Amino acid sequence: MAKDYYNILGIEKNASKEDIKKAFRKLAHKYHPDKAGGDSSKFNEVSEAYSVLSDEKKRAEYDTYGRTFSGEAGGPSGFGGFDFNGQGFDVDLGDIFNEFFGGGSRGGRQARGRDVSIDIHISFKESIFGGERRVLVTKTSQCKTCAGNGAKPGSEMVTCARCNGAGRIHETKRSLFGTFSTEKACSECHGVGKTAKEKCTECRGDGVVYGEEEIIVRIPAGIDHGEMVRLTGMGEAVPHGHPGDLYVKLHVESHPTLKKEGNALTMTLGVKLSDALLGSTYTIETLDGAIELKIPAGVTWGEILRVRGKGVPIDNKRRGDILVTIEVLLPKKLTKNSKKLLEELKKEGM
């Protein structure tokens, strides 16, 4: 079944070319996939409808037969197969699409560098208390010599000769729909409107350099294995634009005895049968060092003893606890004396 292009654009069948263009512009802004809440499927659909109804010949064919003869109505061949980068589109939509790709007549978005992702390994103790790590990242960074403006230190910035200081270049294009006036960022000054009278020798006027950069990664206290830390603006730099972000994935090394559960640290402690019956004191290792843990007489298998204030930091003043699960170690062999004592205990009903 042929698609109702008029309904897709929300217009009447007697709509003028200007009405069609206005309706498309509004919906394209709403559904463009680069925008928050965009919908690529609907954007594709309204683009298809516009490409047919804005062309007099295709519109006449569609109104008469419910399709166009350059391809089936409702299919990609009927409107040139738009693929969100302008390739394969058989009509020039001029300033309408340029607005979405950084070159529209209303001004495009400033260039942004790529995001960078790295992995680092940290100890269990670092994951609990947090800390700092210095890492070397190989990427494009802002030139420190010229602070990113591309000028030799002490050299003045002059008006860009190509765009006359406007920062943008105007172009006029002819298409099936008439003449469109568009503009894009000047490639010489990157939209700034000024260029260096003498270029920086370090970056050759680009404002960015490629190489290793030392970055401090601050590890939050209580972070879990596999979590990501985002460092805004520490990704790839671009000339006169916004740098991307750096994402650091943390791999936490396991601890010999301790595990993290929320704000608590947990461990299992094996206790001899005699110590479980009579009570004793055991030395256990914590993240704060070795401490003495009192084992009460009569402790049972699976009982949990609590060591307060030695767990995961909750805030600057409070910490969680260590929860110690008791395992009573039963002897594999008994001596004659041990058997005799147990038989006596059994007689006493114990």
Side-chain angles (χ1 to χ4, degrees):
M1 182 181 292
K3 295 181 180 179
D4 187 343
Y5 289 142
Y6 293 100
N7 184 55
I8 289 172
L9 293 181
I11 56 177
E12 300 294 333
K13 288 191 175 182
N14 61 353
S16 64
K17 281 189 174 182
E18 189 62 27
D19 291 334
I20 294 171
K21 184 176 180 179
K22 286 181 180 179
F24 169 71
R25 185 188 293 270
K26 179 180 178 181
L27 293 173
H29 271 289
K30 179 179 179 181
Y31 295 127
H32 192 273
D34 281 354
K35 290 180 171 289
D39 187 320
S40 60
S41 177
K42 290 184 178 179
F43 180 79
N44 207 36
E45 193 173 50
V46 297
S47 300
E48 177 184 343
Y50 177 74
S51 70
V52 172
L53 299 183
S54 60
D55 183 287
E56 291 183 357
K57 182 180 178 181
K58 289 182 180 180
R59 183 178 182 182
E61 292 173 351
Y62 175 75
D63 288 342
T64 303
Y65 305 105
R67 54 162 290 182
T68 64
F69 293 102
S70 59
E72 292 294 333
S77 59
F79 68 102
F82 184 67
D83 62 358
F84 301 119
N85 62 13
Q87 297 177 3
F89 208 96
D90 62 356
V91 293
D92 182 2
L93 297 181
D95 59 347
I96 295 176
F97 286 117
N98 280 337
E99 286 183 20
F100 298 121
F101 297 101
S105 57
R106 297 182 183 180
R109 295 174 298 179
Q110 193 172 8
R112 183 182 185 275
R114 295 184 305 169
D115 293 335
V116 177
S117 177
I118 62 172
D119 293 62
I120 64 173
H121 292 259
I122 62 174
S123 68
F124 184 80
K125 187 173 183 177
E126 284 178 299
S127 75
I128 299 301
F129 296 123
E132 289 186 354
R133 278 291 187 91
R134 294 179 180 269
V135 296
L136 288 176
V137 181
T138 303
K139 64 184 183 71
T140 302
S141 305
Q142 184 186 80
C143 177
K144 292 181 171 58
T145 302
C146 65
N149 66 7
K152 182 180 179 180
S155 175
E156 62 178 320
M157 300 294 289
V158 295
T159 301
C160 177
R162 184 176 183 188
C163 64
N164 293 320
R168 307 192 69 78
I169 300 295
H170 292 268
E171 294 181 350
T172 300
K173 294 182 180 180
R174 297 183 62 84
S175 71
L176 296 174
F177 310 116
T179 301
F180 293 93
S181 178
T182 64
E183 65 174 31
K184 60 182 180 180
C186 175
S187 59
E188 184 67 23
C189 66
H190 304 285
V192 178
K194 291 183 178 294
T195 57
K197 190 173 182 179
E198 292 185 72
K199 292 184 178 181
C200 173
T201 56
E202 181 69 23
C203 64
R204 298 180 181 179
D206 291 333
V208 295
V209 292
Y210 182 80
E212 286 188 336
E213 180 180 355
E214 185 179 69
I215 295 174
I216 298 176
V217 180
R218 290 181 173 82
I219 302 168
I223 199 163
D224 291 319
H225 175 79
E227 285 195 86
M228 302 278 283
V229 174
R230 177 185 177 186
L231 279 69
T232 304
M234 299 306 293
E236 292 272 2
V238 290
H240 304 287
H242 296 295
D245 298 333
L246 175 64
Y247 290 87
V248 183
K249 186 174 183 179
L250 299 172
H251 299 268
V252 180
E253 298 173 357
S254 59
H255 190 274
T257 58
L258 295 170
K259 293 183 178 180
K260 177 178 176 291
E261 292 184 11
N263 292 325
L265 295 178
T266 64
M267 65 177 295
T268 300
L269 179 64
V271 176
K272 292 189 299 183
L273 176 61
S274 57
D275 291 335
L277 293 172
L278 303 174
S280 183
T281 300
Y282 277 62
T283 300
I284 62 172
E285 289 293 332
T286 73
L287 297 180
D288 300 280
I291 63 170
E292 298 295 318
L293 177 66
K294 184 178 180 181
I295 308 298
V299 70
T300 58
W301 182 291
E303 189 171 340
I304 296 176
L305 304 182
R306 186 184 299 269
V307 181
R308 298 189 180 277
K310 296 294 184 180
V312 181
I314 300 172
D315 51 38
N316 292 332
K317 296 181 179 179
R318 298 180 300 159
R319 287 174 62 181
D321 303 329
I322 297 179
L323 304 179
V324 183
T325 301
I326 299 299
E327 286 187 358
V328 179
L329 304 177
L330 299 177
K332 293 182 179 180
K333 293 183 179 181
L334 294 175
T335 63
K336 290 183 180 181
N337 288 333
S338 297
K339 286 183 180 180
K340 185 176 180 181
L341 290 173
L342 289 174
E343 288 173 356
E344 292 295 328
L345 291 173
K346 186 176 180 180
K347 290 179 181 179
E348 295 179 8
M350 296 182 66

